Amino acid sequence: MSEMDMKLRLMEARVRLSAPPKQKRKAPGPNASKYEKLIYEKPAVKKFVDELMEIGDINRANAFTEYIDNEKVARQRYGNSQLYLDIFDKAEELKNAPAFTSRKLEFKGFPSAMGEDMIKISLEEFGTLKAFSVKIDDTSPECSGVVEYESQESADSAVAKWDGADMGMGSKLSLEYVE
């Protein structure tokens, strides 16, 4: 390997290592506000508020989040202005929309010793798989991957049974809906 090749590889490694890690959706803690819980359950809420912030409409974004946290206080603070009444209507619409779910799940925490076939069989007990991939790292006792079910009910059943299950290695299995 020439000196130039070495420099290029080092530069590539620095660029890759300096990239921010992909943020995973984390469930809100026990002291989270109603708004924080709602944006976790319904990403469309966060998208709406982010769009308001992008166009610089901070007042309506604040009114929206305050309405979610405390409807009575928001109505007192913002009055009967049609501008804010429209925001409150949008808040109600988004609050009543279905929660985010997906037939596609990201999993981690199955023991690597189970192997790909046993993990697939374990996940197939809930329904037909549309897609399945697993990443087994020989240096780690756990593996991760992605599974997509044919039906929403199958994905929901898998999450209900396996998410948070103790796999006996001091860690818990995680199944999360992904877009």
Side-chain angles (χ1 to χ4, degrees):
M1 179 180 295
S2 73
E3 186 177 336
M4 183 56 117
D5 287 338
M6 177 95 63
K7 287 179 180 181
L8 288 172
R9 291 227 174 148
L10 284 171
M11 185 173 72
E12 180 182 5
R14 284 188 196 117
V15 169
R16 286 184 184 204
L17 292 173
S18 68
K22 183 179 174 185
Q23 295 285 326
K24 293 207 176 201
R25 287 172 21 106
K26 290 189 177 185
N31 297 324
S33 69
K34 290 179 186 177
Y35 174 72
E36 291 168 321
K37 291 174 185 174
L38 191 65
I39 63 173
Y40 177 75
E41 295 169 3
K42 302 177 183 188
V45 171
K46 182 173 183 346
K47 182 181 178 196
F48 177 73
V49 172
D50 287 348
E51 287 170 357
L52 290 174
M53 296 298 274
E54 259 181 46
I55 61 172
D57 200 343
I58 297 167
N59 291 337
R60 288 191 328 153
N62 287 342
F64 182 93
T65 57
E66 286 182 42
Y67 181 86
I68 297 295
D69 283 333
N70 191 329
E71 179 182 337
K72 185 178 177 183
V73 169
R75 286 193 183 276
Q76 288 173 346
R77 179 171 292 152
Y78 295 99
N80 290 324
S81 165
Q82 190 60 45
L83 178 72
Y84 295 118
L85 292 175
D86 291 343
I87 283 294
F88 299 158
D89 289 344
K90 184 67 174 181
E92 283 299 323
E93 175 189 326
L94 291 173
K95 276 176 29 179
N96 295 322
F100 172 76
T101 56
S102 170
R103 293 178 301 161
K104 190 174 187 179
L105 306 171
E106 188 173 87
F107 64 85
K108 64 180 176 181
F110 278 110
S112 294
M114 280 181 73
E116 183 174 346
D117 292 336
M118 287 303 295
I119 293 169
K120 187 173 185 179
I121 289 169
S122 297
L123 293 168
E124 283 177 326
E125 88 177 68
F126 303 103
T128 306
L129 303 183
K130 186 175 179 181
F132 173 79
S133 67
V134 65
K135 179 182 171 192
I136 298 177
D137 182 358
D138 294 334
T139 63
S140 172
E142 298 176 355
C143 59
S144 60
V146 176
V147 62
E148 185 174 0
Y149 287 93
E150 290 285 336
S151 74
Q152 185 63 53
E153 296 78 24
S154 297
D156 293 342
S157 296
V159 169
K161 180 171 181 182
W162 286 111
D163 188 46
D166 185 356
M167 298 307 288
M169 302 179 311
S171 65
K172 296 188 186 265
L173 184 60
S174 168
L175 271 77
E176 293 183 2
Y177 295 105
V178 293
E179 295 181 45

